[in-house]
Amino acid sequence: MSATQRIRKAVIPAAGLGTRFLPATKAMPKEMLPVVDEPAIQYVVAEASRAGLDDILMITGQNKRSMEDHFDRAPVLEATLRDKGDTKKLEAIQHATNLGDLHYVRQGQALGLGHAVLCGKQHVGNEPFAVLLGDDLIDPRDELLTTMMEAQARLGGSVIAVMEVPQEAVSAYGVVDAGGKHLEPGAQVVPVHRLVEKPPAEEAPSNLAIIGRYVLHPAIFTELERTPPGKGGEIQLTDALQAMAAIPAEDGGGVHAVIFRGRRYDTGDKLSYIKAVVTLAAGREDLGPELRPWLKEFAQSI
Ligand code: G1P
């Protein structure tokens, strides 16, 4: 394996129970919740596909069949739409099936994000790969993964994406020490010295939060195998990356962070999910022109 080989594979962990969205997620995976008119997971698969990742492995759990159906062909529905001459909707449903070569593996037990990524070991093999978390939506107009993949090809090791968040929000994230509290203005790629999963705000090494995009060296799998349960009793990807930061570069070690300054939406909890839907709908050509003035009026009325 060479450190600079083209990255083709993406791993998308999608085995969470979605308890924050109950009862909506009682019989349906949270990844299928619509963000405007596409399930949240489709934004993530489309992002991977745009970055040239055409081999996508979903790590799933129970209740996930609808996700497989969503990315599969639907011959009866397609025929009905074709008969009606509704080419727009036909293209829309076919689009989801053309995003790449999708594979599925089940996590079995919900032992944490690190464990979910480890479930991809067999499929990924000995090559660098991307990990995309479904709760983080990156605005399709902004670019992140390609920059991360270029950084990984140039620097080797692993590359994560971070974003500045308000200090009081850091305890919801993995947080990195990238050489001091303050970033150089305009810095884009920085070496990471330390990573801590969800630290209390007063102990956080910075306000640079890990957002759910990673380009990982395959040596992460060996590291994950020996990572003990961490925060919340779960095997944390952040902890394995902390160990990777201390490993020599020739063994696949070293971690860099790409600083993302674009638009990211969090669909992980109810309030931020609602904000994501409204923000994305307001920016759409088909819905925005009517939604924006209505939103202004509504805001004044409350
Ligand atoms: C996971 C990671 C965390 C990261 C976050 C980004 O946490 O463990 O390091 O900051 O995703 O969304 P989760 O939100 O799944 O608890």
Side-chain angles (χ1 to χ4, degrees):
M1 189 211 65
S2 103
T4 54
Q5 77 187 79
R6 184 174 94 77
I7 300 169
R8 301 178 301 120
K9 293 180 181 171
V11 172
I12 303 183
L17 292 175
T19 46
R20 283 186 281 191
F21 283 92
L22 284 170
T25 49
K26 184 179 170 194
M28 167 182 128
K30 67 169 176 171
E31 290 80 8
M32 288 301 290
L33 288 171
V35 175
V36 192
D37 51 7
E38 283 176 22
I41 190 78
Q42 191 174 328
Y43 286 80
V44 180
V45 173
E47 181 191 341
S49 177
R50 275 198 307 280
L53 303 164
D54 50 16
D55 180 327
I56 296 168
L57 177 72
M58 299 243 199
I59 314 293
T60 67
Q62 283 173 4
N63 268 351
K64 303 289 178 174
R65 243 204 54 199
S66 57
M67 244 166 26
E68 297 186 23
D69 287 343
H70 180 75
F71 291 104
D72 198 0
R73 298 294 297 267
V76 178
L77 181 57
E78 286 177 32
T80 311
L81 293 170
R82 203 173 290 116
D83 289 348
K84 280 193 191 165
D86 197 340
T87 43
K88 232 176 148 190
K89 289 211 183 75
L90 182 63
E91 278 167 20
I93 65 156
Q94 285 177 335
H95 178 65
T97 60
N98 295 332
L99 289 170
D101 194 1
L102 266 74
H103 307 267
Y104 302 88
V105 65
R106 281 197 176 222
Q107 192 179 0
Q109 279 172 288
L111 298 180
L113 176 60
H115 178 254
V117 172
L118 187 53
C119 293
K121 179 181 175 184
Q122 192 78 18
H123 183 90
V124 169
N126 195 23
E127 49 187 279
F129 63 104
V131 172
L132 293 86
L133 306 189
D135 286 350
D136 294 87
L137 294 193
I138 302 298
D139 194 302
R141 294 163 290 186
D142 295 331
E143 193 286 311
L144 172 60
L145 260 187
T146 311
T147 308
M148 294 175 72
M149 282 159 41
E150 280 165 10
Q152 199 280 336
R154 192 158 40 88
L155 301 161
S158 295
V159 174
I160 60 176
V162 297
M163 202 167 180
E164 287 193 87
V165 299
Q167 196 66 36
E168 60 276 15
V170 290
S171 59
Y173 296 95
V175 181
V176 305
D177 174 357
K181 287 253 166 203
H182 299 289
L183 279 178
E184 294 284 321
Q188 227 205 345
V189 184
V190 291
V192 172
H193 308 295
R194 195 159 70 90
L195 303 91
V196 198
E197 181 67 7
K198 305 198 175 98
E202 60 283 4
E203 287 169 28
S206 73
N207 67 339
L208 289 175
I210 303 173
I211 54 172
R213 299 294 179 271
Y214 308 79
V215 177
L216 301 174
H217 189 282
I220 192 80
F221 292 124
T222 312
E223 207 47 66
L224 283 167
E225 277 164 343
R226 56 177 173 231
T227 301
K231 195 94 192 179
E234 298 190 334
I235 298 170
Q236 298 292 350
L237 181 57
T238 303
D239 293 346
L241 281 164
Q242 160 68 22
M244 295 283 285
I247 290 176
E250 58 270 28
D251 297 330
V255 178
H256 286 81
V258 165
I259 297 154
F260 182 60
R261 296 187 172 84
R263 290 157 285 191
R264 161 190 175 261
Y265 311 103
D266 177 3
T267 57
D269 68 41
K270 276 181 257 188
L271 185 61
S272 45
Y273 167 79
I274 292 164
K275 289 180 187 169
V277 173
V278 173
T279 312
L280 282 164
R284 287 237 318 220
E285 273 173 27
D286 55 343
L287 300 166
E290 275 190 60
L291 180 61
R292 287 190 298 266
W294 178 83
L295 276 173
K296 277 191 194 143
E297 226 175 274
F298 179 65
Q300 277 159 8
S301 72
I302 50 176

